[in-house]
Amino acid sequence: MNQLYRGMIISNIRKALEESEVAKNYNNQVLKGRAREIFVTELLQPFLNPSMGICTGIIIDSKGNHSNQIDIIIYDKNIIPPSMLTAGEGIIPCESALATIEVKSNINSKELSKSVDNAFSIKYLNPEYYEINNNSSKKNIEVTSSNLSKIKVPITGLCIPKNCFYYCEDANVEPPKFKDISSSNDYDVVLDFVCYIIDYCNYMAEQRGRMYFSQYLREQ
């Protein structure tokens, strides 16, 4: 561990959390947009590989299917190029998508269920890998919290800032095995969450080779 580097990251996290507290004075829709902006600019974008992009939008496959609207999509520009509608909103081929994140200003059953629906809409897409065959699991993963009813969700992590961070250690057992990271420090949970996302995206990018661009453009 490098204390100087860690200290700089923690400083960014503290700043982001403080700005999020200020944003609570706005209505929910504005708050959600501001929370997403803070998370992207302060906690994700500075640490992504230059070959990776980040946006909001939808994920598509070459068969004409698409996901629901996703808050944050991290994608690899080197696999299949995205189609950007604006600087921060795009249409991302599923082979290029590395990770997705849902930003919620409130955590309750309704909002969690919406995140589950969005996650399912991604799982139902059909990526076509030619150089590397990645048969991702579609198993449901169960996450529970003391203030929420049990719900089966197809997601691998759940972060509640200043509270806890769940991530899936093993999805091949029944029930799937989750690790719960909690801390009394405001920044530790978010720090673990960001580390998980960045490491996961780097791992996913290494597993994928270049794909055929023509599968999205030519009639089959």
Side-chain angles (χ1 to χ4, degrees), residues 63-80:
K63 306 299 184 184
N65 304 306
H66 64 83
S67 71
N68 296 342
Q69 181 76 16
I70 305 299
D71 288 342
I72 296 175
I73 304 170
I74 303 175
Y75 59 92
D76 192 328
K77 304 172 188 176
N78 290 335
I79 298 178
I80 297 177

Side-chain angles (χ1 to χ4, degrees), residues 1-161:
M1 178 176 65
N2 187 294
Q3 290 288 357
L4 175 61
Y5 191 72
R6 175 183 168 88
M8 293 175 66
I9 305 303
I10 289 174
S11 178
N12 283 3
I13 291 173
R14 283 175 173 162
K15 179 183 176 184
L17 291 175
E18 288 171 2
E19 290 183 2
S20 294
E21 288 295 323
V22 173
K24 286 183 179 179
N25 294 325
Y26 296 94
N27 63 57
N28 283 343
Q29 196 57 38
V30 173
L31 170 60
K32 180 179 178 180
R34 181 61 184 142
R36 179 172 59 230
E37 180 185 350
I38 292 169
F39 187 73
V40 168
T41 58
E42 300 289 341
L43 301 179
L44 283 184
Q45 212 155 32
F47 312 112
L48 288 177
N49 188 295
S51 66
M52 297 177 189
I54 188 167
C55 69
T56 184
I58 62 172
I59 300 175
I60 61 171
D61 65 21
S62 59
K63 306 299 184 184
N65 304 306
H66 64 83
S67 71
N68 296 342
Q69 181 76 16
I70 305 299
D71 288 342
I72 296 175
I73 304 170
I74 303 175
Y75 59 92
D76 192 328
K77 304 172 188 176
N78 290 335
I79 298 178
I80 297 177
S83 176
M84 300 304 294
L85 304 176
T86 66
E89 186 174 9
I91 300 172
I92 311 299
C94 58
E95 293 85 357
S96 298
L98 301 176
T100 62
I101 302 167
E102 290 292 303
V103 176
K104 299 297 177 186
S105 54
N106 294 298
I107 184 69
N108 53 45
S109 296
K110 180 180 179 181
E111 290 300 320
L112 185 55
S113 294
K114 185 177 179 181
S115 294
V116 172
D117 289 340
N118 288 349
F120 266 122
S121 74
I122 299 167
K123 298 286 185 180
Y124 290 144
L125 299 178
N126 296 300
E128 292 191 37
Y129 298 100
Y130 290 95
E131 292 185 2
I132 293 182
N133 187 14
N134 181 5
N135 294 319
S136 57
S137 172
K138 291 186 179 180
K139 279 190 173 183
N140 290 347
I141 298 174
E142 187 173 283
V143 178
T144 62
S145 180
S146 58
N147 61 336
L148 295 173
S149 301
K150 275 190 176 182
I151 184 167
K152 294 213 171 192
V153 297
I155 55 180
T156 58
L158 174 64
C159 180
I160 305 174

